[in-house]
Amino acid sequence: MTETPIVYLNGRFLPQDQAYVSVLDRGFIFGDGVYEVIPVYGARLFRIEEHLKRLDDSLAGIRLANPMTHVEWHEMFEMLVEKNGGGEQSIYLQITRGVAPRDHAFPTNTPATIFATSSPLKPLPRELLTSGATAITLEDIRWKHCHIKAIALLPNILLRQEALDSGAQEAILIRDGLVTEGAASNIFMVNDGVIKTPPKGPFLLPGVTRDLALELAAANGVPHQECNISRDELLQADEAWISSSTRELLPLTHIDNQTIGSGTPGPVWQKMYRLYQAYKEALIAGEVE
């Protein structure tokens, strides 16, 4: 990465400390916008079309036209990565409804605000991969459109902070007795060698990493299914892990102070983790997109 990060703001690349947004931007006033996080390995964008498809869906969900084509997004991201030194990075993209007088109604003919930045993608501490992470379960207090990757994340922040305050790394959310996802991740469990994860729907984000894990399982003969999971089933699982763009596949060995399985990362997670790392190496080598 360069010493002073370069960001993209409304058509311009400029040093981060020179990038400013109006105080009347609807992202600042209302949280009226969406975002994406895209990992970069070996200067190559990870699952870019899948991320852009999710961006399309999020924008449609808030009734905001996509200000750029997929080709234009791709070119801009690659230039941003290059300007920040290549290698392993994490791109953050945010699109808001733009600058307008404060009014709940949508403004007319207002250009969207487009902001993208990139930061070093740091590997997880080795001890989390060898010993596993801890989580707690909490009531899912969020709204009913969690499939939209909206920037208004205060409920997620409060839930994640409650987990951190308790000494855990993540909060696993429960709605009407069923597991939805983590405060900043998707959730998997294993019983009798079968990977299980909650089905897509309005109460969880359709994770790109989640989908890749299921694709890798299918391609390598690992039994898996999308199904409802209760809190009790999760606590009785043989294995559990979470997935996200920046944490990849992170094993959970303790939830609500209960030991999951043997209390160490299990064999199914270990296999899936190896497959995931092999996919990354293939991406860097240009063998997959």
Side-chain angles (χ1 to χ4, degrees):
M1 296 289 291
T2 57
E3 289 186 9
T4 301
I6 301 299
V7 304
Y8 176 92
L9 180 63
N10 295 333
R12 298 174 59 205
F13 291 97
L14 67 167
Q16 180 174 282
D17 58 8
Q18 297 178 24
Y20 297 95
V21 177
S22 169
V23 294
L24 290 179
D25 191 278
R26 288 176 64 95
F28 176 69
I29 296 294
F30 292 122
D32 184 1
V34 300
Y35 75 103
E36 272 293 328
V37 177
I38 305 167
V40 178
Y41 299 105
R44 294 182 63 86
L45 303 169
F46 177 80
R47 306 280 282 187
I48 182 60
E49 281 304 314
E50 287 78 3
H51 280 284
L52 291 176
K53 173 60 169 62
R54 186 171 64 181
L55 177 65
D56 290 338
D57 293 341
S58 292
L59 287 167
I62 67 167
R63 298 166 59 184
L64 181 60
N66 196 327
M68 295 170 66
T69 67
H70 282 203
V71 171
E72 290 170 333
W73 284 123
H74 201 146
E75 291 174 348
M76 184 272 281
F77 290 146
E78 288 191 331
M79 191 171 298
L80 183 66
V81 169
E82 180 181 349
K83 288 179 179 295
N84 283 289
E88 277 61 57
Q89 300 182 30
S90 176
I91 293 173
Y92 175 82
L93 168 68
Q94 178 169 303
I95 306 171
T96 78
R97 210 176 300 274
V99 179
R102 189 183 186 281
D103 189 330
H104 284 70
F106 292 170
T108 57
N109 302 318
T110 299
T113 296
I114 307 170
F115 169 70
T117 186
S118 189
S119 56
L121 183 59
K122 299 178 181 179
L124 289 171
R126 190 66 195 170
E127 64 184 72
L128 285 180
L129 299 177
T130 56
S131 301
T134 62
I136 60 173
T137 60
L138 294 172
E139 179 185 357
D140 192 342
I141 60 174
R142 304 169 303 163
W143 69 329
K144 295 182 179 180
H145 298 284
C146 298
H147 60 294
I148 298 173
K149 201 168 176 67
I151 63 174
L153 291 174
L154 182 58
N156 301 68
I157 290 168
L158 294 173
L159 291 161
R160 178 78 186 285
Q161 189 60 47
E162 189 168 345
L164 295 175
D165 289 345
S166 74
Q169 281 81 42
E170 182 61 300
I172 305 303
L173 310 183
I174 311 295
R175 189 187 295 255
D176 298 328
L178 297 177
V179 175
T180 55
E181 58 183 346
S185 61
N186 291 112
I187 180 76
F188 293 83
M189 61 168 277
V190 178
N191 261 354
D192 298 324
V194 179
I195 298 172
K196 299 180 180 181
T197 192
K200 291 181 180 179
F203 296 137
L204 61 89
L205 184 73
V208 172
T209 303
R210 169 198 182 276
D211 289 353
L212 176 58
L214 294 178
E215 289 177 24
L216 292 174
N220 291 275
V222 181
H224 61 282
Q225 60 182 253
E226 297 178 77
C227 60
N228 290 331
I229 298 171
S230 70
R231 176 181 177 275
D232 287 344
E233 288 175 308
L234 178 63
L235 294 180
Q236 295 167 13
D238 298 328
E239 302 179 34
W241 68 80
I242 55 175
S243 67
S244 74
S245 290
T246 54
R247 289 184 283 184
E248 300 180 354
L249 305 180
L250 176 63
L252 298 177
T253 50
H254 295 85
I255 302 175
D256 287 345
N257 295 318
Q258 295 193 36
T259 300
I260 302 300
S262 66
T264 59
V268 178
W269 172 82
Q270 292 176 20
K271 179 173 184 176
M272 294 304 303
Y273 183 78
R274 289 193 298 269
L275 292 172
Y276 194 91
Q277 299 308 310
Y279 182 93
K280 285 168 50 182
E281 292 301 319
L283 174 72
I284 293 170
E287 298 169 0
V288 298
E289 293 295 330

